[in-house]
């Protein structure tokens, strides 16, 4: 992605709340998959940043999330503050 100039827009906000909901449910394969998927998404954000991929803040949820909240998710995922804010610009 970095070599091709492809940007990564992970839309973490679309999944962040659901991961927490699934953590509180009765144990099942699906219950285990959601938090694991969330942790993988967060790891992918860090890996993309470390690989030099442009990470951008965006949202595709309804009701719509906000770019500001998405920037916060990027910060929480490990992007430096300048990159997390810059991802929204």
């Amino acid at each position: 992605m970095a070599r091709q100039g492809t940007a990564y827009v992970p839309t973490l906000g679309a999944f962040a709340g659901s991961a927490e909901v699934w953590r509180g449910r009765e144990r099942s394969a699906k219950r285990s998959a959601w938090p694991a998927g969330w942790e993988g998404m967060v790891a992918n954000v860090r890996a993309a940043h470390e690989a030099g991929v442009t990470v951008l803040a965006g949202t595709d949820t309804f009701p719509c999330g906000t770019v500001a909240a998405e920037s916060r998710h990027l910060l929480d995922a490990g992007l430096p503050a300048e990159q997390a804010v810059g991802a929204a610009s």
Side-chain angles (χ1 to χ4, degrees):
M1 291 176 76
R3 193 172 32 238
Q4 294 178 351
T6 304
Y8 178 39
V9 186
T11 62
L12 295 172
F15 299 93
S18 296
E20 289 305 314
V21 169
W22 279 99
R23 277 190 180 96
R25 292 194 177 175
E26 188 174 319
R27 292 200 180 272
S28 69
K30 193 170 185 179
R31 182 228 181 239
S32 298
W34 266 97
W38 169 249
E39 291 166 14
M41 290 178 72
V42 170
N44 286 342
V45 169
R46 276 192 302 272
H49 171 70
E50 290 169 3
V53 174
T54 299
V55 179
L56 299 175
T59 182
D60 63 356
T61 59
F62 186 80
C64 293
T66 67
V67 174
E70 193 66 23
S71 293
R72 180 63 203 202
H73 287 301
L74 294 174
L75 181 65
D76 291 344
L79 257 66
E82 278 188 29
Q83 277 75 30
V85 172
S89 303

